[in-house]
mmCIF file of all heavy atoms in Angstrom:
data_model
loop_
_atom_site.group_PDB
_atom_site.id
_atom_site.type_symbol
_atom_site.label_atom_id
_atom_site.label_comp_id
_atom_site.label_asym_id
_atom_site.label_seq_id
_atom_site.Cartn_x
_atom_site.Cartn_y
_atom_site.Cartn_z
ATOM 1 N N PHE A 48 37.737 38.146 -82.538
ATOM 2 C CA PHE A 48 37.282 39.445 -83.010
ATOM 3 C C PHE A 48 38.331 40.505 -82.711
ATOM 4 O O PHE A 48 38.975 40.476 -81.655
ATOM 5 C CB PHE A 48 35.964 39.820 -82.338
ATOM 6 C CG PHE A 48 34.831 38.883 -82.657
ATOM 7 C CD1 PHE A 48 34.603 37.755 -81.878
ATOM 8 C CD2 PHE A 48 34.011 39.107 -83.747
ATOM 9 C CE1 PHE A 48 33.571 36.873 -82.167
ATOM 10 C CE2 PHE A 48 32.970 38.237 -84.052
ATOM 11 C CZ PHE A 48 32.755 37.119 -83.263
ATOM 12 N N GLY A 63 49.414 48.705 -64.368
ATOM 13 C CA GLY A 63 49.163 48.457 -62.948
ATOM 14 C C GLY A 63 49.926 47.261 -62.422
ATOM 15 O O GLY A 63 50.449 47.277 -61.301
ATOM 16 N N GLY A 132 59.256 51.439 -82.310
ATOM 17 C CA GLY A 132 59.864 52.113 -81.172
ATOM 18 C C GLY A 132 59.760 53.624 -81.277
ATOM 19 O O GLY A 132 58.814 54.171 -81.859
ATOM 20 N N GLU A 178 50.068 35.406 -68.889
ATOM 21 C CA GLU A 178 50.409 34.837 -67.583
ATOM 22 C C GLU A 178 49.642 35.486 -66.436
ATOM 23 O O GLU A 178 49.177 34.801 -65.511
ATOM 24 C CB GLU A 178 51.908 34.997 -67.330
ATOM 25 C CG GLU A 178 52.351 34.503 -65.969
ATOM 26 C CD GLU A 178 53.801 34.856 -65.652
ATOM 27 O OE1 GLU A 178 54.587 35.088 -66.604
ATOM 28 O OE2 GLU A 178 54.148 34.910 -64.454
ATOM 29 N N LYS A 179 49.518 36.801 -66.491
ATOM 30 C CA LYS A 179 48.978 37.544 -65.352
ATOM 31 C C LYS A 179 47.474 37.766 -65.415
ATOM 32 O O LYS A 179 46.840 37.977 -64.374
ATOM 33 C CB LYS A 179 49.672 38.910 -65.245
ATOM 34 C CG LYS A 179 51.184 38.853 -65.143
ATOM 35 C CD LYS A 179 51.648 38.253 -63.826
ATOM 36 C CE LYS A 179 53.171 38.349 -63.702
ATOM 37 N NZ LYS A 179 53.643 37.807 -62.400
ATOM 38 N N TRP A 192 48.096 39.366 -80.334
ATOM 39 C CA TRP A 192 48.277 40.820 -80.226
ATOM 40 C C TRP A 192 49.258 41.234 -81.320
ATOM 41 O O TRP A 192 50.388 40.748 -81.366
ATOM 42 C CB TRP A 192 48.831 41.188 -78.854
ATOM 43 C CG TRP A 192 48.563 42.604 -78.432
ATOM 44 C CD1 TRP A 192 48.266 43.674 -79.233
ATOM 45 C CD2 TRP A 192 48.566 43.116 -77.089
ATOM 46 N NE1 TRP A 192 48.067 44.807 -78.490
ATOM 47 C CE2 TRP A 192 48.248 44.495 -77.170
ATOM 48 C CE3 TRP A 192 48.821 42.542 -75.843
ATOM 49 C CZ2 TRP A 192 48.172 45.307 -76.034
ATOM 50 C CZ3 TRP A 192 48.739 43.352 -74.727
ATOM 51 C CH2 TRP A 192 48.417 44.720 -74.809
ATOM 52 N N ARG A 222 35.094 42.738 -60.865
ATOM 53 C CA ARG A 222 35.440 42.132 -59.566
ATOM 54 C C ARG A 222 36.635 42.809 -58.917
ATOM 55 O O ARG A 222 37.234 42.272 -57.986
ATOM 56 C CB ARG A 222 35.740 40.647 -59.773
ATOM 57 C CG ARG A 222 34.524 39.806 -60.120
ATOM 58 C CD ARG A 222 34.919 38.409 -60.547
ATOM 59 N NE ARG A 222 33.772 37.513 -60.612
ATOM 60 C CZ ARG A 222 33.697 36.429 -61.374
ATOM 61 N NH1 ARG A 222 34.733 36.094 -62.151
ATOM 62 N NH2 ARG A 222 32.622 35.665 -61.369
ATOM 63 N N ALA A 236 43.272 48.478 -55.976
ATOM 64 C CA ALA A 236 43.433 49.933 -55.978
ATOM 65 C C ALA A 236 43.714 50.451 -57.386
ATOM 66 O O ALA A 236 43.320 51.569 -57.743
ATOM 67 C CB ALA A 236 44.554 50.336 -55.024
ATOM 68 N N ALA A 240 41.592 53.129 -59.618
ATOM 69 C CA ALA A 240 42.198 54.303 -60.257
ATOM 70 C C ALA A 240 41.892 54.338 -61.751
ATOM 71 O O ALA A 240 41.627 55.401 -62.322
ATOM 72 C CB ALA A 240 43.708 54.293 -60.022
ATOM 73 N N ARG A 274 34.479 51.552 -84.665
ATOM 74 C CA ARG A 274 33.582 50.735 -85.494
ATOM 75 C C ARG A 274 32.761 49.719 -84.705
ATOM 76 O O ARG A 274 32.358 48.683 -85.228
ATOM 77 C CB ARG A 274 34.345 50.050 -86.640
ATOM 78 C CG ARG A 274 34.992 51.042 -87.595
ATOM 79 C CD ARG A 274 35.695 50.353 -88.747
ATOM 80 N NE ARG A 274 36.397 51.329 -89.579
ATOM 81 C CZ ARG A 274 35.866 51.957 -90.631
ATOM 82 N NH1 ARG A 274 34.616 51.720 -90.967
ATOM 83 N NH2 ARG A 274 36.583 52.820 -91.322
#
Side-chain angles (χ1 to χ4, degrees):
F48 297 89
E178 177 189 337
K179 304 292 186 178
W192 203 339
R222 290 170 168 155
R274 299 182 185 270

